[in-house]
PDB file of all heavy atoms in Angstrom:
ATOM      1  N   GLY X 300     134.925  64.972  80.536  1.00 94.00           N
ATOM      2  CA  GLY X 300     134.085  65.438  79.445  1.00 94.00           C
ATOM      3  C   GLY X 300     132.962  66.338  79.911  1.00 94.00           C
ATOM      4  O   GLY X 300     132.602  67.307  79.231  1.00 94.00           O
ATOM      5  N   GLN X 301     132.395  66.050  81.067  1.00 95.00           N
ATOM      6  CA  GLN X 301     131.321  66.884  81.598  1.00 95.00           C
ATOM      7  C   GLN X 301     131.828  68.301  81.866  1.00 95.00           C
ATOM      8  O   GLN X 301     131.153  69.286  81.550  1.00 95.00           O
ATOM      9  CB  GLN X 301     130.767  66.262  82.880  1.00 95.00           C
ATOM     10  CG  GLN X 301     130.011  64.959  82.647  1.00 95.00           C
ATOM     11  CD  GLN X 301     129.667  64.231  83.922  1.00 95.00           C
ATOM     12  OE1 GLN X 301     130.125  64.597  85.010  1.00 95.00           O
ATOM     13  NE2 GLN X 301     128.860  63.187  83.827  1.00 95.00           N
ATOM     14  N   ALA X 302     133.038  68.395  82.436  1.00 96.00           N
ATOM     15  CA  ALA X 302     133.613  69.715  82.700  1.00 96.00           C
ATOM     16  C   ALA X 302     133.994  70.398  81.391  1.00 96.00           C
ATOM     17  O   ALA X 302     133.769  71.609  81.217  1.00 96.00           O
ATOM     18  CB  ALA X 302     134.834  69.586  83.611  1.00 96.00           C
ATOM     19  N   ARG X 303     134.574  69.643  80.468  1.00 94.00           N
ATOM     20  CA  ARG X 303     134.995  70.233  79.199  1.00 94.00           C
ATOM     21  C   ARG X 303     133.803  70.735  78.403  1.00 94.00           C
ATOM     22  O   ARG X 303     133.857  71.830  77.820  1.00 94.00           O
ATOM     23  CB  ARG X 303     135.771  69.195  78.387  1.00 94.00           C
ATOM     24  CG  ARG X 303     136.173  69.662  76.989  1.00 94.00           C
ATOM     25  CD  ARG X 303     136.993  70.933  77.022  1.00 94.00           C
ATOM     26  NE  ARG X 303     137.349  71.366  75.684  1.00 94.00           N
ATOM     27  CZ  ARG X 303     137.820  72.560  75.393  1.00 94.00           C
ATOM     28  NH1 ARG X 303     137.987  73.471  76.355  1.00 94.00           N
ATOM     29  NH2 ARG X 303     138.121  72.883  74.146  1.00 94.00           N
ATOM     30  N   ASP X 304     132.713  69.961  78.350  1.00 92.00           N
ATOM     31  CA  ASP X 304     131.532  70.402  77.617  1.00 92.00           C
ATOM     32  C   ASP X 304     130.989  71.702  78.195  1.00 92.00           C
ATOM     33  O   ASP X 304     130.610  72.619  77.450  1.00 92.00           O
ATOM     34  CB  ASP X 304     130.451  69.317  77.650  1.00 92.00           C
ATOM     35  CG  ASP X 304     130.802  68.119  76.779  1.00 92.00           C
ATOM     36  OD1 ASP X 304     131.739  68.229  75.971  1.00 92.00           O
ATOM     37  OD2 ASP X 304     130.150  67.071  76.923  1.00 92.00           O
ATOM     38  N   ALA X 305     130.941  71.786  79.526  1.00 93.00           N
ATOM     39  CA  ALA X 305     130.449  73.017  80.163  1.00 93.00           C
ATOM     40  C   ALA X 305     131.377  74.184  79.851  1.00 93.00           C
ATOM     41  O   ALA X 305     130.919  75.313  79.611  1.00 93.00           O
ATOM     42  CB  ALA X 305     130.343  72.809  81.677  1.00 93.00           C
ATOM     43  N   GLU X 306     132.680  73.920  79.833  1.00 94.00           N
ATOM     44  CA  GLU X 306     133.658  74.965  79.527  1.00 94.00           C
ATOM     45  C   GLU X 306     133.496  75.470  78.102  1.00 94.00           C
ATOM     46  O   GLU X 306     133.509  76.687  77.842  1.00 94.00           O
ATOM     47  CB  GLU X 306     135.062  74.403  79.743  1.00 94.00           C
ATOM     48  CG  GLU X 306     136.190  75.403  79.558  1.00 94.00           C
ATOM     49  CD  GLU X 306     137.540  74.775  79.815  1.00 94.00           C
ATOM     50  OE1 GLU X 306     137.764  73.617  79.370  1.00 94.00           O
ATOM     51  OE2 GLU X 306     138.384  75.422  80.461  1.00 94.00           O
ATOM     52  N   VAL X 307     133.332  74.543  77.158  1.00 93.00           N
ATOM     53  CA  VAL X 307     133.173  74.916  75.750  1.00 93.00           C
ATOM     54  C   VAL X 307     131.901  75.719  75.543  1.00 93.00           C
ATOM     55  O   VAL X 307     131.895  76.753  74.857  1.00 93.00           O
ATOM     56  CB  VAL X 307     133.155  73.658  74.857  1.00 93.00           C
ATOM     57  CG1 VAL X 307     132.690  73.996  73.445  1.00 93.00           C
ATOM     58  CG2 VAL X 307     134.544  73.029  74.816  1.00 93.00           C
ATOM     59  N   VAL X 308     130.809  75.259  76.136  1.00 94.00           N
ATOM     60  CA  VAL X 308     129.532  75.956  75.963  1.00 94.00           C
ATOM     61  C   VAL X 308     129.606  77.353  76.571  1.00 94.00           C
ATOM     62  O   VAL X 308     129.099  78.327  75.992  1.00 94.00           O
ATOM     63  CB  VAL X 308     128.387  75.141  76.588  1.00 94.00           C
ATOM     64  CG1 VAL X 308     127.099  75.955  76.590  1.00 94.00           C
ATOM     65  CG2 VAL X 308     128.178  73.844  75.812  1.00 94.00           C
ATOM     66  N   GLU X 309     130.255  77.472  77.729  1.00 92.00           N
ATOM     67  CA  GLU X 309     130.395  78.799  78.343  1.00 92.00           C
ATOM     68  C   GLU X 309     131.143  79.747  77.400  1.00 92.00           C
ATOM     69  O   GLU X 309     130.735  80.907  77.217  1.00 92.00           O
ATOM     70  CB  GLU X 309     131.148  78.691  79.668  1.00 92.00           C
ATOM     71  CG  GLU X 309     131.297  80.037  80.380  1.00 92.00           C
ATOM     72  CD  GLU X 309     132.155  79.941  81.626  1.00 92.00           C
ATOM     73  OE1 GLU X 309     132.848  78.912  81.810  1.00 92.00           O
ATOM     74  OE2 GLU X 309     132.146  80.896  82.416  1.00 92.00           O
ATOM     75  N   GLU X 310     132.211  79.265  76.791  1.00 92.00           N
ATOM     76  CA  GLU X 310     132.977  80.097  75.858  1.00 92.00           C
ATOM     77  C   GLU X 310     132.132  80.465  74.638  1.00 92.00           C
ATOM     78  O   GLU X 310     132.187  81.602  74.156  1.00 92.00           O
ATOM     79  CB  GLU X 310     134.243  79.350  75.418  1.00 92.00           C
ATOM     80  CG  GLU X 310     135.264  79.166  76.533  1.00 92.00           C
ATOM     81  CD  GLU X 310     136.413  78.252  76.133  1.00 92.00           C
ATOM     82  OE1 GLU X 310     136.373  77.727  74.998  1.00 92.00           O
ATOM     83  OE2 GLU X 310     137.341  78.075  76.935  1.00 92.00           O
ATOM     84  N   ARG X 311     131.342  79.524  74.139  1.00 92.00           N
ATOM     85  CA  ARG X 311     130.499  79.804  72.978  1.00 92.00           C
ATOM     86  C   ARG X 311     129.418  80.820  73.329  1.00 92.00           C
ATOM     87  O   ARG X 311     129.090  81.699  72.536  1.00 92.00           O
ATOM     88  CB  ARG X 311     129.870  78.512  72.448  1.00 92.00           C
ATOM     89  CG  ARG X 311     130.875  77.532  71.874  1.00 92.00           C
ATOM     90  CD  ARG X 311     130.171  76.341  71.264  1.00 92.00           C
ATOM     91  NE  ARG X 311     129.534  76.701  70.012  1.00 92.00           N
ATOM     92  CZ  ARG X 311     130.144  76.643  68.818  1.00 92.00           C
ATOM     93  NH1 ARG X 311     131.392  76.250  68.738  1.00 92.00           N
ATOM     94  NH2 ARG X 311     129.486  76.975  67.716  1.00 92.00           N
TER      95      ARG X 311
END
Side-chain angles (χ1 to χ4, degrees):
Q301 291 170 351
R303 176 57 181 166
D304 288 347
E306 184 179 42
V307 168
V308 172
E309 182 185 14
E310 292 172 357
R311 294 185 73 89

